[in-house]
Amino acid sequence: MTMKKTVAAFFVIAAFSFTGGFVGQAVFAPKVADAQGQSDSYFALRDTKNAKGITTYVNDGQPGQIFYGENGQMRLQMGTYSGAGERGLPLLALSDNTGHIRLLFRLAGENESPVMIMKDKSGRDRVVMGLQLGGAEQDPFLSVTDASGKTQNIFGTYR
């Protein structure tokens, strides 16, 4: 693979990661009115050991649910994207004890392809695998990024 294709693949990975994080935050962060219980599109379940517990909501027609740990940090997020381009596509994010997403399962791209993204503690995508995001082949791909930020496609490509 040429250096140009490797750099292009890295930027595609980065773009999907940042978009996923941004959209996930926008989708899963309830509005202030919802958080204050002023909306029928927001529901919270909690107990004395877990002040946040589970929140379930609908945002712009798209459902979502967040599970919090006892420390108040997000641990599991699931729902569907509300943004243009990926509207209605599902996602599932697993977070560590500090609330940082470490594993993301989602459908993405024009093929609505399954993708799995593994992140390091800094939030950088380190392993990305799935089926080709565009084109008719839908071949599998596996891309890894080392600590210096160099990305290598082990097999296949995003597009």
Side-chain angles (χ1 to χ4, degrees), residues 55-82:
T55 58
T56 302
Y57 57 89
V58 177
N59 179 27
D60 193 25
Q62 302 303 311
Q65 193 168 45
I66 303 173
F67 291 72
Y68 294 92
E70 287 182 68
N71 64 358
Q73 298 295 325
M74 282 191 275
R75 299 307 311 275
L76 171 66
Q77 303 171 49
M78 59 185 160
T80 57
Y81 284 103
S82 60

Side-chain angles (χ1 to χ4, degrees), residues 4-129:
K4 186 176 181 182
K5 286 184 179 179
T6 301
V7 170
F10 173 76
F11 283 109
V12 168
I13 293 169
F16 275 94
S17 299
F18 288 128
T19 301
F22 177 76
V23 171
Q25 180 63 24
V27 167
F28 291 112
K31 296 177 218 153
V32 174
D34 290 345
Q36 295 171 346
Q38 298 174 5
S39 172
D40 61 357
S41 64
Y42 176 87
F43 175 76
L45 185 64
R46 56 186 71 106
D47 71 6
T48 57
K49 291 186 177 183
N50 189 329
K52 289 188 175 180
I54 303 169
T55 58
T56 302
Y57 57 89
V58 177
N59 179 27
D60 193 25
Q62 302 303 311
Q65 193 168 45
I66 303 173
F67 291 72
Y68 294 92
E70 287 182 68
N71 64 358
Q73 298 295 325
M74 282 191 275
R75 299 307 311 275
L76 171 66
Q77 303 171 49
M78 59 185 160
T80 57
Y81 284 103
S82 60
E86 295 183 332
R87 185 172 183 84
L89 293 181
L91 68 88
L92 175 67
L94 306 178
S95 300
D96 61 20
N97 281 326
T98 61
H100 293 100
I101 294 174
R102 298 297 303 275
L103 183 59
L104 178 64
F105 297 98
R106 59 183 294 205
L107 297 183
E110 66 186 54
N111 286 337
E112 299 180 0
S113 298
V115 179
M116 181 172 70
I117 303 167
M118 296 179 199
K119 297 175 173 285
D120 64 16
K121 286 189 176 275
S122 299
R124 296 178 300 175
D125 295 350
R126 296 300 295 271
V127 177
V128 181
M129 60 189 274

